[in-house]
């Protein structure tokens, strides 16, 4: 008979739990076999403490995942095992009275072990070890009392093991449900922590916990990448609205509104070799934010910006580097500024390389007033004529004041460029060779280009 028990136990180890049987577990057993089972089970109930001791020792010896729990609080594990055995052995005698309480106990054990991080395979192994030990004791007690009754006990073996499998199914279901709840809680805590860091509202006392939770150094160097989630319409920055635009007031308040994290892929691909390739992404209503750990030389952000895989038409902005998790709120605001400085056609703007544009979008009202004052006289011209002068001014500034290179870019003679520049000076009263006027013209053009004023 022990050989039969070991064979049955081995078979159970290799198969998954089955759902509860639709019929009561004794459906296939005749009355005489059930009476033999009941007599042996009553003896087990009377000796449950000793059975519990043996099962706890077996768990410690044969299931490594339980050793830490037993070492930590042996009494608690003992009570858990005793409680389970009492209800399950009781179910063999009085299934109707004990079935629901036995199920509750199994569900509770599945939830507790999931919260403790004990692998599900280990929990199921423990239940099957308990089932094997109970069955062996039933066989031994029957053989001691009347060896001839063993042939009757065999008739209920399938029902007993189906009962064990039923409880394995209950445990597995409870474990997976608890695991899903725990996973959701962890993800939600992480999401809220990232939101607080990007808001700049995380408490100093929570930074160490945040660093451990997110796997980031508390005092490391960071930058934030912001990627617009939709196209930006003309005047979106000036109006403080529209997709991809973050109003200056909202930025100053340091509030990152957020929506549930989706399973979608990140909006841009980071270079695999960069430390920030596994960046933490956080979705907002107007932009997706990524926390980028930095560990390279001073030019690291420039290299990262150049290597970003940004889809055509997508707008991305990278803020300046900051020190420590506590400064991520500042890093996020800098990234939003860089994003607002990104042209509507798309591309990547690194804030450190576009500071004049950042000044413009940081104060759209003042930038609009400057554009009106400097470029307003051109608005009285025919639109086509006005656009030619603005295009020439832009090309001349981009060419570092070289009429020759500007002409080559515009496919016209350098003298044509100079004539258009002189006309601009006559219409506006500005002198392009005067540094102050050149700076104002440059900022005014940036305001028209970025703000649509």
């Amino acid at each position: 008979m022990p050989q039969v028990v070991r064979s049955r136990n081995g078979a159970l180890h290799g198969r998954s739990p089955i759902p509860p049987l639709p019929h009561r577990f004794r459906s296939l057993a005749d009355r005489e076999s059930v009476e033999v089972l009941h007599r042996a089970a009553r003896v087990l109930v009377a000796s449950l403490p000793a059975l519990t001791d043996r099962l706890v020792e077996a768990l410690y010896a044969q299931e490594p995942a339980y050793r830490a729990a037993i070492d930590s609080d042996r009494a608690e594990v003992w009570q858990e095992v005793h409680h389970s055995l009492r209800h399950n052995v009781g179910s063999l005698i009085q299934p109707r009275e004990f079935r629901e309480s036995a199920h509750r106990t199994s569900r509770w054990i599945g939830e507790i072990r999931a919260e403790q991080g004990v692998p599900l395979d280990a929990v199921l192994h423990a239940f099957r070890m308990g089932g094997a030990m109970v069955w062996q004791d039933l066989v031994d007690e029957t053989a001691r009392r009347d060896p001839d009754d063993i042939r009757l006990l065999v008739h209920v073996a399938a029902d007993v093991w189906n009962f064990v499998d039923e409880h394995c199914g209950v445990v597995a279901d409870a474990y997976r449900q608890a695991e899903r709840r725990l996973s959701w809680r962890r993800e939600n805590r992480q999401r809220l922590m990232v939101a607080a860091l990007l808001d700049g509202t995380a408490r100093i006392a929570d930074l160490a916990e945040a660093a451990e939770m997110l796997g980031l150094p508390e005092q490391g160097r960071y930058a934030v990448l912001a990627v617009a989630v939709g196209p930006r319409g003309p005047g979106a920055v000036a109006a403080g609205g529209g997709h991809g635009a973050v109003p200056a007031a909202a930025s100053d308040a340091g509030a990152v509104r957020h929506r549930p994290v989706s399973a979608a892929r990140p909006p841009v691909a980071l270079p695999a070799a960069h430390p920030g390739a596994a960046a933490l992404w956080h979705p907002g209503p107007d932009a997706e934010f990524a926390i980028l750990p930095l560990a390279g030389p001073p030019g690291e952000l420039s290299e990262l910006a150049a290597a970003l895989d940004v889809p055509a038409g997508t707008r991305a902005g990278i803020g300046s580097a900051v020190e420590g998790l506590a400064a991520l709120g500042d890093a996020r605001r800098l990234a939003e500024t860089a994003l607002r400085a990104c042209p509507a056609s798309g591309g990547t703007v690194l804030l450190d390389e576009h500071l004049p544009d950042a000044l413009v979008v940081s104060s759209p009202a003042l930038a609009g007033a400057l554009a009106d004052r400097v470029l307003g006289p051109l608005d009285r011209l025919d639109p086509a004529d006005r656009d030619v002068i603005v295009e020439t001014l832009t090309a001349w500034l981009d060419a570092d004041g070289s009429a020759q290179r500007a002409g080559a870019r515009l496919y016209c003679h350098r003298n044509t460029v100079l004539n258009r520049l002189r006309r601009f000076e006559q219409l506006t009263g500005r002198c392009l060779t005067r540094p102050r006027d050149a700076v104002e013209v440059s900022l005014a053009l940036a305001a028209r280009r970025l703000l649509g004023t």
Side-chain angles (χ1 to χ4, degrees):
M1 186 55 65
Q3 289 82 358
V4 174
V5 172
R6 283 196 295 271
S7 174
R8 180 66 180 175
N9 188 33
L12 278 171
H13 277 281
R15 55 185 239 215
S16 302
I18 62 174
L21 295 176
H23 305 294
R24 58 197 180 99
F25 92 96
R26 1 172 145 170
S27 58
L28 300 179
D30 58 31
R31 180 173 300 179
E32 194 175 1
S33 299
V34 170
E35 289 177 356
V36 171
L37 173 65
H38 284 182
R39 282 197 300 269
R42 289 190 188 97
V43 175
L44 262 64
V45 170
S47 60
L48 273 183
L51 175 59
T52 304
D53 288 339
R54 287 190 289 118
L55 182 51
V56 171
E57 290 298 331
L59 287 174
Y60 191 86
Q62 299 177 37
E63 184 46 68
Y66 269 75
R67 288 175 191 161
I70 295 173
D71 285 334
S72 174
D73 195 337
R74 191 182 192 90
E76 181 181 359
V77 176
W78 192 96
Q79 288 294 340
E80 173 190 305
V81 172
H82 185 268
H83 198 62
S84 178
L85 287 173
R86 180 163 58 85
H87 285 88
N88 290 333
V89 174
S91 294
L92 298 178
I93 305 170
Q94 296 175 295
R96 291 184 179 179
E97 290 79 356
F98 281 89
R99 179 185 176 112
E100 185 53 39
S101 60
H103 278 198
R104 282 198 302 268
T105 299
S106 295
R107 283 194 294 269
W108 174 75
I109 291 174
E111 293 173 356
I112 290 295
R113 291 302 174 220
E115 292 174 1
Q116 293 173 343
V118 178
L120 177 57
D121 286 347
V123 181
L124 295 178
H125 183 209
F127 262 77
R128 287 167 179 151
M129 286 175 63
M133 190 170 288
V134 168
W135 174 249
Q136 187 64 65
D137 281 10
L138 290 171
V139 172
D140 292 344
E141 174 57 28
T142 302
R144 184 190 66 80
R145 188 183 186 94
D146 189 346
D148 290 339
D149 284 347
I150 290 179
R151 60 182 178 80
L152 296 173
L153 190 63
V154 170
H155 292 172
V156 297
D159 295 312
V160 172
W161 284 104
N162 284 337
F163 176 84
V164 173
D165 277 354
E166 176 184 330
H167 277 264
C168 284
V170 171
V171 168
D173 183 62
Y175 185 101
R176 293 188 182 104
Q177 289 184 22
E179 200 172 38
R180 285 192 291 271
R181 289 195 301 270
L182 292 169
S183 177
W184 182 86
R185 288 173 189 166
R186 284 192 298 268
E187 291 174 1
N188 195 50
R189 285 186 64 207
Q190 184 184 77
R191 180 169 55 248
L192 293 175
M193 184 61 74
V194 171
L197 290 171
L198 291 172
D199 286 345
T201 57
R203 300 183 305 172
I204 297 297
D206 294 336
L207 292 179
E209 179 186 355
E212 181 178 0
M213 181 191 306
L214 304 177
L216 298 173
E218 184 178 347
Q219 301 302 329
R221 290 176 60 247
Y222 297 97
V224 170
L225 164 66
V227 181
V229 297
R232 184 184 67 182
V237 176
H243 293 291
V246 180
S251 177
D252 292 342
V256 177
R257 296 165 292 162
H258 52 279
R259 51 188 170 83
V261 175
S262 67
R265 296 167 59 187
V268 301
L270 292 156
H274 191 270
L280 288 171
W281 285 91
H282 183 80
D286 304 308
E288 304 272 354
F289 298 96
I291 298 175
L292 306 176
L294 304 176
E300 179 182 13
L301 280 178
S302 297
E303 296 175 4
L304 175 61
L308 273 182
D309 184 8
V310 179
T314 298
R315 300 167 45 248
I318 303 177
S320 303
V322 299
E323 296 289 338
L325 290 178
L328 281 178
D330 295 333
R332 187 265 306 173
R333 286 185 282 273
L334 294 172
E336 288 175 335
T337 300
L339 183 60
R340 295 199 299 274
C342 189
S345 58
T348 302
V349 166
L350 178 59
L351 183 66
D352 292 347
E353 297 176 357
H354 294 80
L355 292 176
D357 290 350
L359 288 174
V360 168
V361 298
S362 294
S363 185
L366 290 177
L370 176 64
D372 289 342
R373 178 170 180 173
V374 175
L375 303 177
L378 300 183
D379 293 337
R380 295 191 289 267
L381 300 176
D382 179 85
D385 193 14
R386 178 198 63 206
D387 291 346
V388 167
I389 294 179
V390 170
E391 183 183 27
T392 303
L393 269 173
T394 301
W396 180 75
L397 289 170
D398 289 343
D400 296 328
S402 170
Q404 186 73 33
R405 291 200 299 275
R409 181 175 299 182
L410 297 172
Y411 302 103
C412 64
H413 195 274
R414 64 180 297 275
N415 289 339
T416 302
V417 173
L418 293 174
N419 288 335
R420 293 172 182 173
L421 296 179
R422 277 194 292 270
R423 188 178 179 207
F424 169 79
E425 291 178 328
Q426 292 168 359
L427 289 169
T428 62
R430 304 283 166 170
C431 178
L432 294 175
T433 57
R434 187 183 302 136
R436 180 188 179 93
D437 286 357
V439 169
E440 290 185 349
V441 169
S442 178
L443 292 175
L445 289 172
R448 284 285 173 96
R449 171 171 52 85
L450 296 169
L451 307 179
T453 57

